[in-house]
Amino acid sequence: MTECCEEGTKLIYSCAGSADVGEIADRMARRLRDEGYTIMTCLAGVGAGLSGFVQSAIGADEDITIDGCSTACARKSLERIGVNPKSYILTALGLEKHETPV
C-alpha cells in the first residue's frame, strides 16, 4: 500500500449517481482511498457550500473527480467554488451508461 498523500494532500470526489457508471465511480474512489492513494471526501458537502468541505477542496494540493458520465456533476461542483480538479469521466473512457455491469 502506498502511503497516502506522499506528495501533498490529494482529495478525491466521486459521482454516486443512480446509473451503473455512477456506482462504479464511487467504488473506484473508495478503492483508491482504501489503498492509500487519496483521501475521499464529501461531494455533497461541497455542493451544499459547507465551509469545511469548501476550504478543504480549495486548500488541497490536488483535487480529483471521478464522474460516471459526461454530465460531470463532481467536476462541476468543484469548478463552482473555483477549483479545477483532475477529472476522469468513465463514459469517456469507454464505459456505457446503463450497459456496464457493476
Side-chain angles (χ1 to χ4, degrees):
M1 177 167 93
T2 301
E3 183 63 33
C4 179
C5 312
E6 291 174 352
E7 300 171 9
T9 303
K10 294 179 189 176
L11 299 181
I12 194 164
Y13 303 83
S14 74
C15 162
S18 61
D20 48 8
V21 290
E23 184 175 348
I24 293 167
D26 183 66
R27 288 185 184 195
M28 289 175 68
R30 290 174 188 278
R31 184 158 186 184
L32 289 166
R33 176 204 59 199
D34 293 347
E35 292 183 6
Y37 294 104
T38 62
I39 298 168
M40 189 174 181
T41 189
C42 184
L43 182 62
V46 172
L50 301 177
S51 62
F53 292 103
V54 170
Q55 291 306 313
S56 291
I58 291 170
D61 296 303
E62 185 173 7
D63 291 285
I64 302 163
T65 58
I66 303 175
D67 281 295
C69 70
S70 61
T71 303
C73 297
R75 186 191 77 217
K76 289 175 183 175
S77 293
L78 290 178
E79 289 173 344
R80 288 187 70 213
I81 61 167
V83 172
N84 186 27
K86 183 179 287 185
S87 173
Y88 299 92
I89 299 174
L90 300 183
T91 53
L93 298 173
L95 279 70
E96 293 185 43
K97 191 172 185 176
H98 304 301
E99 300 294 328
T100 304
V102 177

